Amino acid sequence: MAKKALNEMSFLDHLEELRWLLVRSTSAVIIMAIVTYFFSDFIFDTIIFAPTSPDFFTYTYFCELSHQLGFADSICITELPFIIQNTDMEGQVNMFIWTCITAGFILAFPYILWEIWKFISPALYEKERKNVRVFIFVASLLFFMGVVFGYYVIIPMSINFCATFSVSTMVQNQFTIDSYIGMMKTSVIASGLFFELPIIIYFLTKLGLVTPAFLRKYRKYSVVIVLLIAAIVTPPDVVSQIIVAIPMLLIYEASIFISVFVHKNKLKENV
């Protein structure tokens, strides 16, 4: 049966479309999760637990950067004094399943974007619907850039801070596998979704829910929030905080630029 036109679809029709979007997207995540099962050794040993070693790329790069900036060994990491342990009978099984699902979500994200585009495209102009490839490419690129940023910047900084922080020498850091994997999943997914901010602002501006003036008005608050996040996830040194904060601030500024562009086009269309 041919798909109904947007103006012919009832509220229940929209709900039906949304239901199938969720079904197809969930199926894609499950399929990719099954695929990741066959690469589980690589995912856990080479990717997930790599930041627990002082030889991890980020730590060595920051150490070299510290020397180049004349800070000697101030941000060099030579030891991460903690161990990861499992305390639940089914802990490793649950962790394995949810890690595969998370990896499946990351790999299936371009397809999920395609499903979202199909859902919202009837509300767009014809010339905008032709930009589907650009939308999928840019949105996927931003998401994967965010995942990489979270993995190589946010996670190492967080691990270093948590591993070296101690309220007393009497307390040893022994993290559970659930807390470690949970921190990693939250960091990469949240970072990936944050990098989608320009895309979100684009559509919110198209809908008239956000304006460039609004974003500029609350720019100072966004700067404070970003700096607070950077201060929380990084060691107490200015260099680390700047490294984390700058990309996030650039994403926000890019969102303002996109909002300005979309807003001007809307004004021209209304003339």
Side-chain angles (χ1 to χ4, degrees):
M1 184 175 64
K3 188 176 180 179
K4 295 181 179 180
L6 180 64
N7 57 2
E8 297 177 354
M9 293 179 67
S10 66
F11 177 73
L12 292 179
D13 290 329
H14 285 293
L15 286 181
E16 180 68 10
E17 287 292 323
L18 180 60
R19 183 174 73 87
W20 280 108
L21 180 155
L22 295 175
V23 169
R24 290 190 293 268
S25 298
T26 302
S27 299
V29 171
I30 293 175
I31 291 173
M32 297 310 299
I34 294 173
V35 172
T36 61
Y37 166 80
F38 298 100
F39 302 93
S40 58
D41 290 341
F42 173 80
I43 291 174
F44 283 99
D45 296 335
T46 307
I47 298 179
I48 291 180
F49 293 119
T52 63
S53 170
D55 296 329
F56 186 60
F57 169 79
T58 302
Y59 303 137
T60 57
Y61 176 77
F62 282 174
C63 186
E64 294 176 0
L65 181 63
S66 177
H67 292 157
Q68 293 175 3
L69 295 176
F71 293 110
D73 295 333
S74 60
I75 57 175
C76 289
I77 299 170
T78 58
E79 182 183 10
L80 293 171
F82 72 96
I83 64 172
I84 300 176
Q85 60 181 345
N86 175 53
T87 58
D88 297 327
M89 182 71 71
E90 300 175 352
Q92 294 200 53
V93 175
N94 292 333
M95 175 271 301
F96 179 85
I97 293 173
W98 282 107
T99 299
C100 288
I101 291 175
T102 303
F105 172 79
I106 293 174
L107 295 176
F109 193 76
Y111 177 79
I112 296 174
L113 289 174
W114 166 252
E115 288 292 340
I116 294 174
W117 177 269
K118 289 197 299 182
F119 181 74
I120 65 175
S121 60
L124 303 176
Y125 293 110
E126 180 63 28
K127 62 179 181 180
E128 294 172 331
R129 288 198 291 268
K130 293 179 179 179
N131 295 327
V132 56
R133 293 182 179 178
V134 176
F135 168 76
I136 299 298
F137 175 78
V138 173
S140 298
L141 179 62
L142 288 173
F143 177 75
F144 290 128
M145 286 174 60
V147 169
V148 171
F149 178 75
Y151 179 73
Y152 281 105
V153 179
I154 302 295
I155 289 175
M157 294 293 188
S158 301
I159 291 176
N160 177 48
F161 176 77
C162 294
T164 56
F165 180 83
S166 177
V167 295
S168 171
T169 56
M170 300 295 294
V171 182
Q172 295 181 345
N173 286 323
Q174 299 181 4
F175 306 136
T176 64
I177 185 67
D178 287 341
S179 65
Y180 177 81
I181 298 294
M183 180 273 297
M184 178 164 284
K185 289 189 296 186
T186 301
S187 297
V188 296
I189 297 298
S191 182
L193 294 179
F194 178 81
F195 272 57
E196 292 294 299
L197 184 61
I199 302 296
I200 296 173
I201 293 299
Y202 172 85
F203 285 105
L204 291 179
T205 306
K206 290 287 292 184
L207 295 173
L209 300 177
V210 169
T211 63
F214 174 85
L215 295 174
R216 292 193 184 102
K217 178 181 178 181
Y218 289 97
R219 176 192 277 125
K220 57 185 178 181
Y221 299 107
S222 68
V223 172
V224 173
I225 293 173
V226 167
L227 292 177
L228 285 175
I229 295 173
I232 292 172
V233 302
T234 60
D237 66 83
V238 177
V239 176
S240 301
Q241 293 172 9
I242 292 176
I243 291 173
V244 172
I246 286 179
M248 301 175 73
L249 293 174
L250 289 176
I251 289 293
Y252 188 83
E253 292 299 323
S255 300
I256 296 178
F257 176 79
I258 290 173
S259 182
V260 170
F261 176 78
V262 175
H263 189 66
K264 286 182 178 179
N265 286 341
K266 284 186 64 178
L267 293 178
K268 291 179 181 179
E269 292 172 358
N270 294 332
V271 172

